[in-house]
Amino acid sequence: IRVDSIVIQGDDHFIDCIVSSILQIILDPFYRTIDGFCILLQKDWIEFGFPFQDKFPTFFLFIHLVWNLLQVYGLYFEFNTSLLEHILEAVISQRYTDFVGENAKQREEVKSLQLNTGNASFWAFI
């Protein structure tokens, strides 16, 4: 089966992030690589403007679902639970500009203000 796009409509569009992301991980082996998973988070969560601080339980649910996939199908993934733990720690600590702010515009403002403070992008450390 070849699926090029998926359309989902729900009352809570943040739940749509979970469903879309999990389906992409299941259907496309690229998103089970380290680079692919990072790109998935960047495009479907960060660039979408997901408010990590206000909706952390939703993001945690997504990470928990990926963790469960790793437990059952770990051989099909390039990464392990350590990556998930590092991502959760980065979201909670707000150490990296990728997860700060409540939308993409606020993240860009924070990045421009903190260019010289050493708060780099999380992806530079992966």
Side-chain angles (χ1 to χ4, degrees):
I1 296 175
R2 173 102 175 119
V3 178
D4 291 325
S5 59
I6 298 168
V7 177
I8 301 167
Q9 178 88 29
D11 291 338
D12 183 356
H13 60 276
F14 296 125
I15 296 298
D16 298 345
C17 291
I18 294 174
V19 174
S20 175
S21 296
I22 292 296
L23 284 172
Q24 289 175 80
I25 291 168
I26 291 170
L27 295 172
D28 190 341
F30 172 69
Y31 294 114
R32 296 189 299 265
T33 66
I34 294 171
D35 287 342
F37 190 70
C38 292
I39 288 170
L40 179 73
L41 289 178
Q42 184 67 37
K43 73 180 184 70
D44 286 2
W45 294 84
I46 295 170
E47 290 176 9
F48 179 70
F50 184 80
F52 289 96
Q53 303 314 308
D54 284 349
K55 296 284 188 175
F56 181 75
T58 301
F59 185 69
F60 181 79
L61 176 60
F62 165 67
I63 295 295
H64 183 68
L65 291 170
V66 175
W67 182 87
N68 280 290
L69 287 172
L70 280 166
Q71 299 310 300
V72 178
Y73 304 106
L75 295 176
Y76 295 96
F77 286 80
E78 183 181 82
F79 59 89
N80 58 32
T81 57
S82 292
L83 178 61
L84 303 179
E85 292 167 8
H86 288 298
I87 291 168
L88 284 177
E89 191 276 327
V91 171
I92 291 168
S93 72
Q94 297 187 15
R95 183 178 310 148
Y96 304 100
T97 56
D98 305 287
F99 307 109
V100 175
E102 297 305 319
N103 55 50
K105 182 180 177 186
Q106 285 182 4
R107 285 187 193 100
E108 287 305 315
E109 291 171 357
V110 169
K111 284 181 185 181
S112 67
L113 292 173
Q114 295 183 347
L115 284 177
N116 297 321
T117 64
N119 288 8
S121 172
F122 176 74
W123 312 120
F125 296 96
I126 299 297

